[in-house]
């Protein structure tokens, strides 16, 4: 079965330091991977996605993610964290269902705290 | 403004009292979906719809119903709510031009409490 794992419930980083939020996946075919961010009392917002091509994907707000097929990982990164980056981050994989539709499987989420 | 709207935003109800949470999008998207968010479990898909009159079960469909009579609306119906359906619910939509690579747009969420 397809699955997504975010091994860290919480990541703490000081402002200005690089940050990494980890994600590993398990899919039977080609992975279509997404990162979303959720700010307090808001819905999810799209950050970036990997479909094919370059393993380093650049997204919104200075975030990027590195796709590693051999390690089945899609870690989210940012070179210099901001306090305003503090939020809940979700990794997700898109999958085709048995009936031909498209399902999305989310990880449990990682809460990022950036300290000033 | 392109958006997904949900109503109500907050709802407290009692066990067994039927309720409907509405979802509407103004982007002419074919795909719509409902999720529930619970601490430690992330988002889990309840139902989704590929287009009008086409719906399918997600990972946690028990206790829920949906309908898609119009392209813009995708209501979530709880015929007999139970306390284990207390959760934060999100509606989302996306186009299907590139099938499963398209990004989803999320509504603001509905916090449901079933007593």
């Amino acid at each position: 079965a397809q699955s997504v794992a975010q091994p860290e419930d919480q990541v703490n980083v000081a402002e200005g330091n690089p940050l990494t939020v980890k994600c590993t996946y398990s899919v039977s075919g080609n992975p279509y991977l997404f990162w979303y961010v959720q700010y307090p009392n808001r819905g999810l917002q799209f950050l970036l996605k990997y479909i094919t091509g370059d393993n380093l994907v650049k997204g919104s707000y200075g975030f990027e993610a590195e796709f590693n097929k051999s390690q089945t990982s899609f870690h989210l990164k940012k070179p210099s964290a901001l306090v305003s980056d503090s939020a809940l981050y979700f990794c997700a994989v898109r999958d085709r269902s048995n009936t031909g539709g498209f399902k999305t499987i989310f990880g449990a989420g990682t809460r990022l705290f950036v300290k000033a | 403004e392109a958006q997904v709207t949900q109503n109500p935003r907050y709802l407290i109800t009692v066990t067994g009292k039927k309720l409907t949470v509405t979802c509407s999008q103004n982007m002419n998207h074919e795909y719509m979906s409902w999720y529930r968010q619970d601490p430690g479990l992330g988002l889990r898909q309840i139902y989704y719809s590929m287009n009008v009159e086409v719906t399918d079960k997600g990972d946690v469909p028990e206790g829920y119903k949906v309908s898609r009579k119009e392209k813009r609306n995708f209501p979530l119906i709880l015929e007999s709510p139970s306390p284990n359906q207390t959760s934060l619910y999100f509606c989302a939509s996306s186009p299907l031009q590139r099938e499963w690579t398209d990004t989803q747009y999320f509504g603001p969420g509905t916090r449901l409490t079933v007593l």
Side-chain angles (χ1 to χ4, degrees):
Chain A
Q2 326 294 27
S3 65
V4 174
Q6 295 181 240
E8 302 156 317
D9 292 335
Q10 184 171 310
V11 170
N12 298 311
V13 64
E15 188 173 34
N17 283 2
L19 70 87
T20 298
V21 182
K22 296 179 180 178
C23 172
T24 59
Y25 64 90
S26 174
V27 298
S28 56
N30 292 325
Y32 299 103
L33 298 157
F34 298 77
W35 275 103
Y36 289 86
V37 60
Q38 184 181 31
Y39 297 102
N41 301 314
R42 302 284 295 274
L44 276 71
Q45 298 177 32
F46 168 76
L47 275 180
L48 50 79
K49 63 183 176 183
Y50 173 82
I51 306 303
T52 186
D54 195 348
N55 289 342
L56 186 63
V57 178
K58 294 191 182 298
S60 307
Y61 313 122
F63 284 93
E64 56 190 28
E66 186 170 10
F67 172 69
N68 187 316
K69 188 172 183 177
S70 63
Q71 296 185 6
T72 61
S73 67
F74 189 54
H75 299 333
L76 182 70
K77 300 181 179 185
K78 188 173 183 181
S80 179
L82 299 172
V83 172
S84 57
D85 293 330
S86 298
L88 186 56
Y89 290 81
F90 290 98
C91 183
V93 63
R94 206 86 183 261
D95 178 34
R96 187 180 287 277
S97 72
N98 294 335
T99 54
F102 303 112
K103 298 168 60 175
T104 305
I105 300 164
F106 283 84
T110 298
R111 190 165 296 281
L112 173 67
F113 284 104
V114 181
K115 186 175 181 181
Chain B
E1 179 189 356
Q3 59 183 346
V4 178
T5 56
Q6 296 178 227
N7 283 292
R9 294 289 312 280
Y10 303 91
L11 179 60
I12 300 174
T13 189
V14 295
T15 299
K17 187 176 181 181
K18 181 180 178 180
L19 66 92
T20 299
V21 183
T22 64
C23 172
S24 183
Q25 51 94 4
N26 61 1
M27 296 169 279
N28 201 36
H29 287 168
E30 292 85 0
Y31 186 95
M32 297 187 74
S33 181
W34 276 102
Y35 299 88
R36 60 178 290 174
Q37 181 180 7
D38 301 291
L41 297 176
L43 275 76
R44 293 178 292 169
Q45 195 164 27
I46 303 170
Y47 270 95
Y48 65 92
S49 170
M50 299 287 285
N51 213 324
V52 175
E53 302 292 1
V54 180
T55 62
D56 204 353
K57 296 177 180 179
D59 292 322
V60 289
E62 293 77 20
Y64 304 95
K65 284 177 57 178
V66 293
S67 67
R68 188 91 182 271
K69 293 183 170 57
E70 305 166 283
K71 198 172 187 179
R72 64 182 291 127
N73 296 322
F74 191 46
L76 180 69
I77 303 159
L78 284 72
E79 295 268 2
S80 184
S82 62
N84 64 12
Q85 292 178 299
T86 293
S87 187
L88 180 58
Y89 291 86
F90 287 102
C91 181
S93 73
S94 73
L96 281 178
Q97 292 102 337
R98 292 175 295 279
E99 295 191 328
W100 45 2
T101 67
D102 281 303
T103 303
Q104 291 186 81
Y105 296 82
F106 285 80
T110 295
R111 186 166 293 281
L112 172 65
T113 301
V114 183
L115 301 175

